[in-house]
Amino acid sequence: MPASTAFITTQCAVTQFVIGALKELALIETTRHEQTPSTRHKCRDSNSITMGTPQETDAFRASFERTYKYAMESPPLSSTVVFAYRLNAVALVALIWYTCEVVEGVSKGPPAAWTRWLSVAAVGGAVAVIALTYAVSYYYGHLPGFTDDDYRLSAAWDRPPATELATIGLALSLDLLPLLELARPAPARLARVIVACFTVHGIVTVAATPMSKMRGEHALSTLAFLLMLASYQALVVAVVPTAIASKALRDAFCALTYASFGAIFLVFYAFSFWVRFGVLYWLSVAELLALVVVFAGIVVGGVGAA
């Protein structure tokens, strides 16, 4: 399947799930403040049409309303997170500026030999940061999150000091990804760097907007990150394979990158289990699978292009 076709298919599927999920969230917010028996009866009828059985509706409402109590117990967002987030945004803009100079021949870019080590360092650093945030959150009793089966990345990053660790650690490690694209000897260098910068900014934004304090911003940043990740994967699978000499590594890279589209779709599909049944376990599993596939593709692509 061509990269453009896979990307368009993923976007269509994602859009359908997002629209459905937003409708359900709006319905829950409306019915949460219901006052009269007649209104309650109408809402129950609407739930039967849009979500299935009343038991499914009640399960989602129960898990969703627990986030209010969860938010009240969480401390405010620290100035460290805000400063690190803004500083990283400036660093990414500076990296794009530097890439423009390299493309125009004004400055000298990193050598192609760095591609292998940059890919390993970016992925290894991100994996270490994620593992550390899970360990810290578990130590402080913040895992599982607002439900007994909530082991999502967002739950692990939701409270300090894990929020600070995730924001700073992911910024330091994944900022190597645009530098990797700058060093990689493949076409569309500037486009790859720009999309990579937006993708990194997306995941750092997710880490810097805890769900317990910034629910709306967290939801939008998560959606934006997943769409940017899909865009990045579509771009690299379209131009990078030509720069991978080994056929085995090239085939492995393409397989992992195409699999990442399915993993992103699976994240949205697993989200529907929370909307329908109030279950977050499968969303946690889907996130883990997506991380493994995407990170493996980055490493294989970096090693193959070196």
Side-chain angles (χ1 to χ4, degrees), residues 3 32 40 55 82 97 105 109 143 169 199 208 291 304:
R32 184 172 176 271
R40 189 174 295 111
Q55 289 77 12
V82 177
W97 184 282
L143 280 178
T199 304
L291 281 178

Side-chain angles (χ1 to χ4, degrees), residues 195-236:
V195 176
C197 284
F198 276 102
T199 304
V200 173
H201 183 67
I203 188 63
V204 174
T205 303
V206 173
T209 53
M211 181 177 178
S212 61
K213 288 301 178 186
M214 307 174 71
R215 185 183 314 183
E217 293 85 349
H218 181 81
L220 291 175
S221 62
T222 302
L223 174 61
F225 164 67
L226 290 173
L227 294 178
M228 284 307 306
L229 178 60
S231 301
Y232 173 73
Q233 296 294 89
L235 179 59
V236 296

Side-chain angles (χ1 to χ4, degrees), residues 2 28 97 101 115 140-141 146 174 190 201 211 230 244 250 257 297 299 306:
I28 295 300
W97 184 282
E101 292 186 345
T115 305
Y140 282 98
F146 62 87
L174 292 181
L190 180 58
H201 183 67
M211 181 177 178
I244 301 178
R250 182 169 61 249
T257 307
V299 172

